[in-house]
Amino acid sequence: MRTRVYVDGFNLYYGALKDTAFKWLDPVKLAYQLLPAGYSVSKLKYFTARVSGIQDAGAPARQQAYLNALATLPEVEVLWGNFLSKTIWRPLSNLPVAGRQIHTPNPVTMPAGDHPVSGPTQTLPVGTYHQPAKGTKRRRRRTRPHPDAVVTEVHTMEEKGSDVNLAVHLLNDAWKQSFDAAVVISNDTDLVTPIRMVSVEQGRPVFVVCPSGKRMAAPLAAVATHKRHVRTAMLRAAQFPKNIPGTAVSKPVSW
């Protein structure tokens, strides 16, 4: 069965690969592990963006090494979105003022006194504040920041365009009858409508693959013809060779 695979690169990276030893991933090998026998990957479209080196100067070089590895696979086509780096003002909801407390490990003593922010000067009270230990999972906060929370300028990065590009290519390929089945590797609910249009309205099977070990987003599960999860054993079995034969492409040392 002719199958096209659509990979949300950043969703896959942050859902399954970050902080693992499996970043040197061959996505075509992974796709075959997710599919039943008789399915043939005719095309794999990998949606990503050029990363910034502002926070990690080595990141662009490591990404380029991986892109060079992808270029050795005849089934793979890389399609580009944009990576935006910017600074914005945000309240620090986890930094107490007026005597509020946070109960997390590793106490850190903050200097007391007046601190300039984007508005009136605010005063941090004398006291010991706490920050999570390295590797501690951040608790999700459902409440708004306190009205008198300290405000600071923070650096943020955001990938734009990949979800739209993936949706457009999925729909366009379906209308052109370029595949008999599709695989979408993402847990992004922005893709619910295009997947539903292919799986429900056109009646073509769509395998929706959740990259993380968490539960697949319910709206995606509702429109998927088949549901899959990326497992650690799959990642381990789907690695490129450390040095790709016949090329100068090799796995980054830090990976």
Side-chain angles (χ1 to χ4, degrees), residues 21-250:
F22 307 122
K23 300 182 185 74
W24 198 232
L25 180 71
D26 181 332
V28 176
K29 288 182 180 177
L30 176 65
Y32 274 109
Q33 293 185 76
L34 295 163
L35 289 165
Y39 286 73
S40 175
V41 176
S42 59
K43 183 69 132 179
L44 186 147
K45 295 189 176 184
Y46 188 91
F47 299 86
T48 190
R50 295 281 181 185
V51 300
S52 166
I54 291 178
Q55 289 188 335
D56 181 353
R62 293 194 299 271
Q63 184 192 43
Q64 187 57 56
Y66 185 63
L67 293 169
N68 293 342
L70 292 181
T72 67
L73 301 174
E75 303 92 340
V76 172
E77 177 183 1
V78 176
L79 297 117
W80 298 100
N82 296 302
F83 196 75
L84 303 180
S85 176
K86 57 186 178 181
T87 56
I88 54 177
W89 288 95
R90 287 288 183 263
L92 295 176
S93 62
N94 65 337
L95 179 62
V97 294
R100 294 195 179 93
Q101 307 238 336
I102 293 178
H103 302 285
T104 53
N106 290 1
V108 174
T109 300
M110 300 288 291
D114 293 339
H115 296 262
V117 295
S118 61
T121 297
Q122 292 179 291
T123 300
L124 293 179
V126 177
T128 298
Y129 304 98
H130 301 263
Q131 67 179 15
K134 186 176 181 180
T136 301
K137 290 186 177 180
R138 182 177 63 86
R139 292 184 302 167
R140 290 192 175 184
R141 292 183 173 272
R142 302 296 183 184
T143 57
R144 295 181 179 179
H146 296 298
D148 57 351
V150 174
V151 180
T152 189
E153 191 175 21
V154 298
H155 179 259
T156 183
M157 294 179 290
E158 184 178 9
E159 190 273 331
K160 302 287 289 184
S162 287
D163 53 351
V164 175
N165 290 341
L166 193 158
V168 170
H169 278 265
L170 175 65
L171 288 171
N172 191 47
D173 290 347
W175 287 329
K176 292 193 301 183
Q177 300 184 15
S178 298
F179 60 75
D180 301 313
V183 176
V184 176
I185 302 180
S186 180
N187 201 31
D188 187 345
T189 55
D190 288 343
L191 299 174
V192 166
T193 297
I195 291 173
R196 177 183 54 77
M197 293 175 74
V198 176
S199 65
V200 177
E201 297 181 15
Q202 294 199 23
R204 297 178 187 273
V206 179
F207 292 76
V208 177
V209 180
C210 179
S212 73
K214 299 177 182 178
R215 183 177 300 177
M216 180 181 295
L220 283 171
V223 297
T225 311
H226 306 283
K227 296 178 282 292
R228 298 286 190 272
H229 282 78
V230 174
R231 308 296 184 190
T232 300
M234 295 178 179
L235 298 175
R236 184 179 292 109
Q239 297 294 294
F240 282 110
K242 183 177 180 180
N243 299 295
I244 298 179
T247 76
V249 181
S250 60

